[in-house]
Amino acid sequence: MINVHIADDHAMIVDLLIPVINHSDIAHVTGSSLKLSDCRKALCTACPDVLLLDINMTDGDGIEFCKDMHKIYPQMKIIALTGHDEYSNVISMLKNGASGYVIKSEAVSELIEAIDAVMHGETYISDQMEQMIRKTTQIAINLTPREKQVLQLVARGMTNPEISEQLDIGVSTVLSFRKKLNLKLKASNPVELIINAHKEGLIE
């Protein structure tokens, strides 16, 4: 089970996230902080596997805090959980040690997926941010290692339960990955997904 600490100055958001994360079957919340100063103290006592960090806190800059915490606790994964979708913030957080960036307006499933992804060594950028970055920079389609695995298994004709068993992840997680693949490859069904993946050179 993945240990998660939430640092966000909106108590309502913290209260909403705790039960969702605790019922995800992959993670549970071991603590929360409404201020960066409190978060700093909490991490000294018990360092979690993942820190969900708001960028703008009432008592400081989340980006600078991310930089400091990454130096002190390099093994801890940091995911920016924010309402800000500026490209510059994404780059700043990633440069300063964050492993993920999720927008608060997106589905909670994105956050669960992000927690799972960063614990598997991946860098996770939510759907909304990735679409914005692609429009801004015109970058090529970029799949995470886990997305590539799911795509390859879909191409082999495996069902969601079979993919779930093969990768040792929940069926709901498989569905989330397939949703992201459909969005990234602009597909509405499995056949279109495979065709578009071939066109992009993602599968042979």
Side-chain angles (χ1 to χ4, degrees):
M1 192 68 71
I2 302 169
N3 296 327
V4 177
H5 188 98
I6 306 172
D8 195 301
D9 56 7
H10 293 89
M12 184 180 295
I13 290 178
V14 174
D15 290 342
L16 289 172
L17 288 178
I18 289 175
V20 173
I21 294 173
N22 287 345
H23 287 92
S24 67
D25 294 329
I26 69 164
H28 70 283
V29 178
T30 55
S32 62
S33 304
L34 299 179
K35 293 182 178 180
L36 293 178
S37 56
D38 292 337
C39 182
R40 189 183 295 271
K41 293 176 184 177
L43 296 183
C44 288
T45 303
C47 184
D49 300 309
V50 176
L51 171 64
L52 302 181
L53 176 64
D54 192 1
I55 289 181
N56 285 337
M57 299 281 280
T58 54
D59 64 334
D61 182 357
I63 295 176
E64 284 301 314
F65 186 78
C66 174
K67 181 179 180 180
D68 291 343
M69 293 304 99
H70 180 62
K71 288 181 179 178
I72 298 172
Y73 310 105
Q75 77 281 7
M76 179 180 69
K77 304 297 184 181
I78 302 174
I79 298 175
L81 180 61
T82 176
H84 298 276
D85 61 358
E86 291 85 359
Y87 176 66
S88 59
N89 282 335
V90 180
I91 298 303
S92 294
M93 284 298 287
L94 296 180
K95 282 184 177 180
N96 285 294
S99 298
Y101 198 102
V102 178
I103 304 298
K104 290 180 180 178
S105 60
E106 299 197 71
V108 178
S109 59
E110 283 275 357
L111 183 58
I112 304 303
E113 190 175 328
I115 292 171
D116 182 60
V118 299
M119 286 304 295
H120 282 88
E122 300 179 23
T123 298
Y124 188 96
I125 299 177
S126 65
D127 285 337
Q128 185 176 322
M129 280 309 307
E130 184 151 333
Q131 293 298 325
M132 186 276 289
I133 292 172
R134 287 186 50 138
K135 289 178 181 178
T136 302
T137 63
Q138 296 297 309
I139 62 174
I141 293 174
N142 182 36
L143 301 184
T144 68
R146 182 68 83 178
E147 287 169 348
K148 290 178 182 178
Q149 288 179 318
V150 172
L151 178 60
Q152 293 293 337
L153 297 180
V154 171
R156 293 181 195 173
M158 295 180 68
T159 65
N160 291 332
E162 289 172 338
I163 295 173
S164 171
E165 183 177 357
Q166 177 77 17
L167 299 180
D168 193 25
I169 57 178
V171 173
S172 61
T173 304
V174 174
L175 291 172
S176 294
F177 278 120
R178 294 192 66 158
K179 175 186 173 184
K180 283 183 68 70
L181 287 168
N182 284 337
L183 286 170
K184 288 184 176 183
L185 290 164
K186 299 179 180 179
S188 58
N189 57 64
V191 174
E192 192 172 9
L193 176 67
I194 300 307
I195 291 174
N196 292 349
H198 274 292
K199 289 179 180 179
E200 295 290 338
L202 298 172
I203 55 177
E204 297 180 356

